[in-house]
Amino acid sequence: TIWQQKWVVGNWKMNGQLHDNNALVHKLRSLPAAERVCIGISPPTVYLLQAHNAVQIVLDNKIHVCAQDVSRFADKGAYTGEVSAEMLKDVGVDIVLIGHSERSLYFNEKNDVQRQKIENVLRVGLIPLLCVGESLKEREDGREKEAVAYQLSVFKGLKTQNFAVAYEPVWAIGTGKVATKEQIADMHQFIYNEILSLCGNDANIRILYGGSVNDKNAADIFSVPHVDGALVGGASLKYESFTAIIHAAQ
Ligand code: PEP
């Protein structure tokens, strides 16, 4: 199952258009089967259906289509501009990013909203992938674990056994600054223990690292204990670097 695999999820953010998406996804389709890797691509909402149609779903080489965001509640109704979890499911999405730091930075999305979105996603049977991570200021003040523990508290009391988290120190996103192996190891162990204590021992847990992962540093990052994959921004837009990261995960 995907709960035993390493996940490599490409977060395209607000990038890509029909022509380039098609080229990239068609190249990805021809990747050899990567049995130990769960590959995901996360295009902007308007291109989810395009991605789903273009991804050939073969049992041993499935590319998961992931959404970058979702509405807070309801399957349909008078909520202008929103896209429901039910609709994402309808167009072939199976994983939904929740709480990316850019959403809290630019759209003021905090724990309460993230919690609603997670519940909405779980209700229709999709997998939420919660993004957590401290700011530079929080790390400098030595409060990085406190910050991450607070973000993880949105998981408390959820009716699920499946927990997917991306640890993305805000200071490492799109900056070219990667956390050190020691920093990653320390925080991933902490997140693992936190989820166990919030959610119990039979939880399925995947903890991805995110923050300037590329073809050069991926193998090193994947060698760190409790690193179950990567959430990749910039490097996921180029076929060569994204596939090199997938290979490093195998
Ligand atoms: C991200 O935004 O999820 C991310 C990790 O970006 P980048 O790889 O570009 O740092």
Side-chain angles (χ1 to χ4, degrees), residues 11 13 100 102 168 172-175 210-213 231-235:
N11 174 14
K13 313 191 184 192
H100 191 282
E102 287 152 16
E168 304 204 303
I173 296 179
T175 57
S212 301
V213 176
L231 182 56
V232 185

Side-chain angles (χ1 to χ4, degrees), residues 187-243:
M187 189 61 89
H188 279 237
Q189 180 71 58
F190 176 74
I191 292 171
Y192 184 80
N193 293 343
E194 278 293 295
I195 297 175
L196 283 187
S197 72
L198 284 171
C199 307
N201 279 325
D202 35 4
N204 287 317
I205 301 174
R206 293 289 86 182
I207 307 170
L208 283 55
Y209 171 79
S212 301
V213 176
N214 60 34
D215 49 343
K216 312 238 158 34
N217 59 29
D220 231 25
I221 292 169
F222 290 140
S223 71
V224 175
H226 288 301
V227 171
D228 305 313
L231 182 56
V232 185
S236 71
L237 296 169
K238 282 192 230 89
Y239 173 77
E240 290 72 18
S241 47
F242 191 55
T243 50

Side-chain angles (χ1 to χ4, degrees), residues 1-7 38 64 95 127 206:
T1 81
I2 61 170
W3 300 101
Q4 273 107 39
Q5 291 176 317
K6 284 243 193 302
W7 296 15
C38 162
H64 297 259
I95 297 170
I127 300 169
R206 293 289 86 182

